[in-house]
Amino acid sequence: MELQRGIYQHYKGNLYQVFNVATHSETGEKLVVYQCLYGDYSLWVRPLTMFTETITTADDREMDRFKLIQETVWACSDC
């Protein structure tokens, strides 16, 4: 599964910037590398399967855990 780089909104409302998908060196598990766009702006990783899953809220609504709201394009002059 491929994940777009960009700004995502968590189902609870906060915004996050996804930088890339990394691979765990021991297990091969795919991990999303992202940063919260509030508070301390800390970096996080979460399994790709969890990042892209559909969740059920307390009031029985189904929704994406994270939703892409703005794709970002990275320019690299040396790539």
Side-chain angles (χ1 to χ4, degrees), residues 1 3 25 31 35 73:
M1 166 180 261
L3 187 69
S25 63
L31 302 168
Q35 180 179 32
V73 178

Side-chain angles (χ1 to χ4, degrees), residues 5-48:
R5 292 177 176 156
I7 308 299
Y8 284 75
Q9 185 171 31
H10 188 265
Y11 76 97
K12 292 182 180 177
N14 287 327
L15 297 178
Y16 299 84
Q17 181 170 355
V18 168
F19 294 109
N20 218 329
V21 175
T23 304
H24 190 289
S25 63
E26 300 297 319
T27 66
E29 181 178 24
K30 299 297 183 185
L31 302 168
V32 178
V33 180
Y34 63 104
Q35 180 179 32
C36 56
L37 298 179
Y38 61 91
D40 64 359
Y41 290 81
S42 53
L43 290 173
W44 296 84
V45 295
R46 179 186 294 253
L48 177 62

Side-chain angles (χ1 to χ4, degrees), residues 59-74:
D59 60 353
D60 288 327
R61 291 182 297 140
E62 286 195 13
M63 56 191 352
D64 295 334
R65 181 180 295 277
F66 290 90
K67 179 176 72 172
L68 179 65
I69 60 170
Q70 181 181 344
E71 185 176 349
T72 56
V73 178
W74 292 37

